[in-house]
Amino acid sequence: MAEVAYDSASRIFSGNPPVRAVDQLNLDVADGEFLVLVGPSGSGKSTALRMLAGLEDVDEGAIKIGGKDVTNVPPKGRDIAMVFQSYALYPHMTVADNMGFALKLRGVDKGEIKNKVAEAAKMLDLTKYLDRKPKALSGGQRQRVAMGRAIVREPSVFLMDEPLSNLDAKLRVETRANIAALQQRLGTTTIYVTHDQVEAMTMGHRVAVLKDGLLQQCDTPRNLYDRPANAFVAGFMGSPAMNLKTVPLTSEGAKLDGVVVPLSRAALGGASGESLSEVTFGIRPEALGIVPSSEAGMDMTVELVEELGADALVHGAVRIGDSSERFVVRVDGRTPPTLGQNVKVAVRDTSEIHLFHPETGNRLDG
Amino acid sequence: MTFDASSPRVANPAAAARATGFRRGTRSTAASIGLHTALITASLIAVFPVFWVLVTSFKPDARAVETTPKLFNESSLDNYVRVLSGEKGDFLAWFGNSVLIALLTTAIAVFLSATTAYAASRFLFPGKRSLMLSFLVVQMFPFAVLIVPLYNVLLALGLQGTSLGLVLVYCTTAVPFCTYMLKGYFDTIPQDIDEAGRVDGLSPFGVFWRLVLPLARPGLAVTAFYAFLTAWGEVAFASAFLSAADESKTLAVGLQVFVQQNRTEWGHLAAASIVVAIPAVVVFYLVQRFLVTGLSSGAVKG
Ligand SMILES: Nc1ncnc2c1ncn2[C@@H]1O[C@H](COP(=O)(O)OP(=O)(O)OP(=O)(O)O)[C@@H](O)[C@H]1O
Ligand SMILES: [Mg+2]
């Protein structure tokens, strides 16, 4: 068990122009922590993980595991175990041999390997399959073997690169919970890569959001959701995505289709400090609500209703200035509006409004 | 009443039979007969020459070529006895030479091409493209063009007339081809497996030895077979580069003693040919179970 640190680490792929796949990454992961790296495709998540594994060179900066600089240490010297997206099981070995391979290479006694493999197999419900070859297993079973191979080694760090992406939706939710529980039990530092923000929110102690190789924010899921550091994080985390619109700013608040939404002092202060005439205004679908037509609010024409059971998502068009902007509102699933209906939408709670700089995208109230 | 009840019953078997005809893996009887006739005919055509060589090998020379050939005509094992006893030339020495040269060629070619192909498949290094291209270009020269330059090279190395020299000559043709073949095979083994191995604690050579080679067994078997055959049946290089002494010939060269300018000893030639074919068949038998691929299935999600 160990803490992990990226110290201004970069990976630059040669090319024209060179790709900074991971750019000056600074990240400290505490001992026993479950950190999720999340970001859109091509954001450098896998590259960052592979740098930690020693499978990718570190062009700038350093990487430390357990306080020791491992920047130039080959993978076998780093005491890490990795679960690959493709699982990468050894096809010519049985499940038991796959799981015990690393121990065998370290010269661990045969009987001890057998015990450890049996123990891990029991934990993962694989006992029946120990004598099979990987090709005779289902996708979910292979995934568990890949996990088992990592667990048996008792490494100081687990690395996982989208280990659930080949499973069907139901199994994914189940395995997600299992992995989180397993990590809790073993208490091993874990870095987990995913592009699925629901996985990130539900599994991680902390979540690091990457975009174009740059770290956008690293915080607990709660803080990431409540106080996104910039418009990108705000739009990326949460499903459905936050409504993000650029609107005119007045001294009282943000102007949306006739209504002026009052803003917090801190937010207004941040905006006026930079003397902005416009701001990027963000509000989550659940912070909006449909109000009776007598009350103040934005006029919205309903264009699409997605019924999810407990609640429904109403997509509609609102006029802001000269253009028509799309908003998503989460409403009670039993009384959704009908298609084409005109409804009034109002902000339910002004404390849930997020303001961002219209150009840099940074959060305005610090 | 009777008519009404029976008609659906009559209709059903016909429908069932038609449905069966289209089911996967089953054919109609006519199609089956046609297919088997065609396949059996083709097999007979393919097997006949070998079969006739076998028949001839039991006949005395005088009876080997007749206007009305008979299957059994004064058949005996005389030809085999005479060939193996060395009456016509040191057959057993030729055989030994051939085995030695072919096995040595196989071993060296498989070792060199496997290591080269692994490097070409997994690593980036300057000159990789030109190396692979030169391997391809080498394949385009006709053998005859190579004899004189290779002769000079062997002479300069002091290997002219030795078995080792001939082995090296065979390697010049076998290694490039085998490298190409194995590189293609290694490329199909996912890199993730290498990386998983390195994380598990293997050195780069360990990855090659303990993961890639076992997974490439079918590819290695094909390569070994090719290298073996390259050396086993080759005549031109063997007659040019081995010393003229009878006991240093290979089988392919030695067989020529049965074919002289105005007289061919068909019976002896056929008997010798059968003996020569046996090791090739044995090697084929050993590798044939690897010739079916699919060992690497199940490595990644599927
Ligand atoms: N070997 C390479 N050579 C050049 N560029 C590369 C190489 N590997 C990755 N890249 C680039 O680096 C960037 C980050 O890639 P990476 O695989 O880390 O993305 P990712 O966040 O894991 O995406 P995904 O969610 O699709 O797996 C991409 O723009 C990619 O094109
Ligand atoms: Mg990736």
Side-chain angles (χ1 to χ4, degrees):
Chain A
M1 260 155 265
E3 65 276 6
V4 168
Y6 287 89
D7 187 1
S8 303
S10 301
R11 175 70 176 124
I12 304 155
F13 288 114
S14 53
N16 196 19
V19 183
R20 295 186 75 92
V22 172
D23 198 355
Q24 297 282 321
L25 179 61
N26 278 304
L27 198 58
D28 287 299
V29 187
D31 186 14
E33 186 173 6
F34 195 125
L35 180 98
V36 177
L37 278 178
V38 72
S41 190
S43 55
K45 310 176 294 288
S46 297
T47 308
L49 195 72
R50 292 163 53 81
M51 286 162 77
L52 183 54
L55 297 171
E56 206 77 71
D57 290 340
V58 179
D59 294 310
E60 291 169 3
I63 287 185
K64 293 183 183 131
I65 298 178
K68 207 174 105 224
D69 189 336
V70 294
T71 313
N72 295 312
V73 177
K76 61 185 279 194
R78 295 193 181 196
D79 196 19
I80 42 151
M82 186 156 171
V83 179
F84 291 80
Q85 180 175 2
S86 64
Y87 311 145
L89 303 178
Y90 310 126
H92 56 305
M93 299 184 196
T94 62
V95 168
D97 289 344
N98 260 286
M99 286 166 67
F101 189 58
L103 295 181
K104 189 169 141 200
L105 290 179
R106 276 195 246 154
V108 177
D109 172 66
K110 266 216 177 90
E112 199 183 331
I113 296 180
K114 211 167 164 202
N115 290 341
K116 286 196 169 161
V117 168
E119 195 183 320
K122 208 170 119 210
M123 207 185 309
L124 294 163
D125 208 4
L126 283 171
T127 313
K128 277 192 297 211
Y129 310 113
L130 282 178
D131 295 325
R132 291 211 200 161
K133 294 270 175 72
K135 72 163 172 258
L137 296 177
S138 75
Q141 289 159 352
R142 285 180 205 177
Q143 200 280 333
R144 297 210 296 276
V145 176
M147 288 294 300
R149 186 167 67 178
I151 293 171
V152 165
R153 297 190 33 198
E154 297 171 8
S156 47
V157 186
F158 281 139
L159 307 180
M160 305 189 194
D161 192 353
E162 308 204 21
L164 305 184
S165 57
N166 292 324
L167 303 182
D168 67 60
K170 191 154 176 286
L171 195 56
R172 190 150 58 209
V173 174
E174 225 175 275
T175 315
R176 188 165 87 196
N178 288 344
I179 291 181
L182 196 68
Q183 196 273 341
Q184 189 83 10
R185 181 136 56 101
L186 299 173
T188 308
T189 314
T190 303
I191 320 263
Y192 184 104
V193 164
T194 179
H195 62 255
D196 179 348
Q197 47 92 15
V198 180
E199 255 173 47
M201 295 289 284
T202 51
M203 297 177 82
H205 297 158
R206 278 194 308 155
V207 177
V209 184
L210 284 178
K211 183 198 172 204
D212 299 335
L214 289 164
L215 180 65
Q216 305 291 310
Q217 188 176 6
C218 179
D219 213 330
T220 61
R222 189 76 255 161
N223 286 348
L224 221 51
Y225 193 77
D226 289 343
R227 289 186 62 82
N230 57 38
F232 172 78
V233 176
F236 190 75
M237 301 304 288
S239 169
M242 182 188 281
N243 297 298
L244 282 168
K245 310 291 165 196
T246 302
V247 298
L249 188 69
T250 67
S251 55
E252 295 94 59
K255 229 171 125 197
L256 290 157
D257 182 41
V259 281
V260 173
V261 181
L263 300 172
S264 71
R265 188 110 19 98
L268 272 178
S272 61
E274 306 207 26
S275 57
L276 295 171
S277 62
E278 281 189 325
V279 285
T280 300
F281 172 95
I283 185 141
R284 296 203 182 273
E286 58 267 32
L288 289 171
I290 292 176
V291 294
S293 50
S294 53
E295 288 182 31
M298 310 181 288
D299 288 314
M300 184 169 96
T301 315
V302 178
E303 289 175 337
L304 174 70
V305 180
E306 289 179 296
E307 300 211 37
L308 304 174
D311 40 27
L313 300 176
V314 179
H315 299 244
V318 172
R319 291 206 67 78
I320 292 178
D322 311 326
S323 62
S324 161
E325 296 279 354
R326 200 141 190 193
F327 272 79
V328 183
V329 184
R330 194 189 281 269
V331 300
D332 190 343
R334 277 159 302 184
T335 54
T338 52
L339 225 58
Q341 196 183 335
N342 279 312
V343 293
K344 267 233 152 51
V345 171
V347 177
R348 284 208 252 174
D349 184 353
T350 49
S351 70
E352 291 202 34
I353 292 168
H354 307 267
L355 285 192
F356 304 100
H357 193 286
E359 271 122 45
T360 63
N362 288 335
R363 191 179 184 85
L364 283 178
D365 56 353
Chain B
M1 173 79 182
T2 323
F3 176 80
D4 278 8
S6 64
S7 67
R9 232 176 278 155
V10 175
N12 274 341
R18 218 180 309 130
T20 322
F22 291 105
R23 207 188 297 150
R24 208 157 62 99
T26 56
R27 271 174 225 101
S28 77
T29 322
S32 212
I33 291 174
L35 193 67
H36 280 89
T37 317
L39 288 176
I40 288 169
T41 314
S43 310
L44 285 181
I45 292 173
V47 166
F48 184 77
V50 181
F51 173 72
W52 201 250
V53 169
L54 187 67
V55 168
T56 311
S57 72
F58 295 110
K59 294 181 177 182
D61 279 340
R63 296 260 173 252
V65 184
E66 290 176 312
T67 37
T68 50
K70 299 212 176 62
L71 210 51
F72 302 104
N73 197 338
E74 299 173 39
S75 294
S76 71
L77 288 174
D78 284 1
N79 291 331
Y80 287 92
V81 173
R82 246 175 269 144
V83 164
L84 290 176
S85 67
E87 203 174 288
K88 299 283 166 186
D90 201 348
F91 188 81
L92 290 181
W94 306 341
F95 198 90
N97 290 338
S98 275
V99 168
L100 180 77
I101 288 172
L103 287 184
L104 216 56
T105 305
T106 308
I108 295 180
V110 169
F111 174 76
L112 285 181
S113 56
T115 43
T116 316
Y118 183 65
S121 164
R122 291 299 199 265
F123 304 128
L124 278 175
F125 52 89
K128 176 169 148 179
R129 266 181 64 92
S130 40
L131 178 76
M132 293 313 281
L133 199 67
S134 70
F135 281 176
L136 204 62
V137 169
V138 163
Q139 301 288 314
M140 295 185 205
F141 288 108
F143 275 22
V145 174
L146 294 174
I147 291 185
V148 174
L150 283 174
Y151 187 91
N152 286 335
V153 170
L154 287 183
L155 214 54
L157 291 174
L159 291 171
Q160 164 60 22
T162 65
S163 299
L164 184 64
L166 188 61
V167 166
L168 291 183
V169 166
Y170 288 149
C171 284
T172 59
T173 57
V175 168
F177 182 79
C178 294
T179 303
Y180 244 95
M181 223 154 65
L182 279 179
K183 177 182 181 293
Y185 207 88
F186 291 160
D187 285 346
T188 66
I189 298 174
Q191 293 253 17
D192 279 3
I193 292 195
D194 294 39
E195 293 180 345
R198 285 174 60 200
V199 171
D200 265 353
L202 285 173
S203 61
F205 182 77
V207 169
F208 174 64
W209 189 250
R210 305 189 69 153
L211 299 179
V212 175
L213 281 190
L215 287 174
R217 274 214 295 259
L220 290 173
V222 178
T223 325
F225 187 54
Y226 174 84
F228 183 85
L229 285 190
T230 303
W232 187 253
E234 204 279 334
V235 182
F237 286 160
S239 30
F241 298 140
L242 286 178
S243 72
D246 190 51
E247 72 278 0
S248 64
K249 284 178 182 166
T250 62
L251 280 172
V253 178
L255 284 185
Q256 290 171 14
V257 304
F258 301 119
V259 188
Q260 267 134 32
Q261 207 147 31
N262 36 27
R263 197 173 61 93
T264 302
E265 300 170 24
W266 288 112
H268 293 131
L269 183 63
S273 305
I274 294 293
V275 178
V276 170
I278 290 172
V281 172
V282 169
V283 172
F284 181 76
Y285 181 78
L286 288 179
V287 301
Q288 56 115 7
R289 70 195 174 98
F290 293 120
L291 297 180
V292 283
T293 50
L295 202 69
S296 72
S297 66
V300 296
K301 57 137 180 166

